[in-house]
Amino acid sequence: MKGTCLIVYASMTGNTEEIANLIGEGILQAGAAVDQKDILEVDVKELSNYEGILLGAYTWGDGDLPDEFLDFYEEMDSLDLTGIRSAAFGSCDSSYEHRGRAVDLLLTKLSELGADIVLDGLKIDMAPTSAEKDQCIQFGRSFVESSY
């Protein structure tokens, strides 16, 4: 068995949670273990216990992280994630100027903390279509294949 990955996400309408579930499915298909937690159910210190971290958030307002992610995001500054594989994903709305900016903010934070960004951020408009569902599963598979 390969290492264990952690998926942490914030979801208001269920779209980001669905994306997280599909990515988790891909991680399992690739032979790794996965723990999946809502942002409100995880302590930031847990990130250091995993070989792979995937953070997911929808973009709120004009390109912001959701309110429920803000404390966690700030608490991340206390971490050293050097050598930990990471990626970010989220649901977006292309009608906004800063489409999926929450994903970009998460990738920047992970990088600043020394994490290895192994995939480009995955941005899905609203709920994933059937083709995008396959893309999400492949994202999970690719995360494991590029990480271990």
Side-chain angles (χ1 to χ4, degrees), residues 7-21 23 54-60 64-66 69 87-94 98-107 120-128 132 135-136 139:
I7 299 175
V8 176
Y9 66 91
S11 187
M12 184 191 320
T13 62
N15 294 337
T16 304
E17 182 177 13
E18 182 180 6
I19 295 166
N21 290 339
I23 291 171
L54 298 100
L55 300 180
Y58 59 93
T59 300
W60 180 251
D64 299 320
L65 284 168
F69 219 107
F89 64 93
S91 59
C92 314
D93 186 340
S94 59
H98 300 290
R99 177 183 179 266
R101 186 164 173 260
V103 174
D104 302 331
L105 291 170
L106 293 174
L107 288 172
D120 291 334
L122 177 65
K123 299 177 181 180
I124 303 289
D125 272 358
M126 308 299 188
E132 288 170 334
Q135 183 184 1
C136 294
F139 188 82

Side-chain angles (χ1 to χ4, degrees), residues 55-74:
L55 300 180
Y58 59 93
T59 300
W60 180 251
D62 195 28
D64 299 320
L65 284 168
D67 286 348
E68 64 269 29
F69 219 107
L70 293 177
D71 288 343
F72 186 90
Y73 181 82
E74 290 172 12

Side-chain angles (χ1 to χ4, degrees), residues 2-8 23 27 32-36 46-55 81-89 110 115-118 140 143-144 146-148:
K2 298 174 182 176
T4 302
C5 302
L6 173 65
I7 299 175
V8 176
I23 291 171
I27 289 170
V34 63
D35 291 337
Q36 190 171 314
E46 291 180 54
L47 297 183
S48 300
N49 299 334
Y50 290 86
E51 294 178 45
I53 301 166
L54 298 100
L55 300 180
L81 300 179
T82 302
I84 296 177
R85 307 289 192 231
S86 65
F89 64 93
L110 287 164
D116 294 331
I117 309 296
V118 298
F143 183 80
V144 172
S146 65
S147 298
Y148 301 101

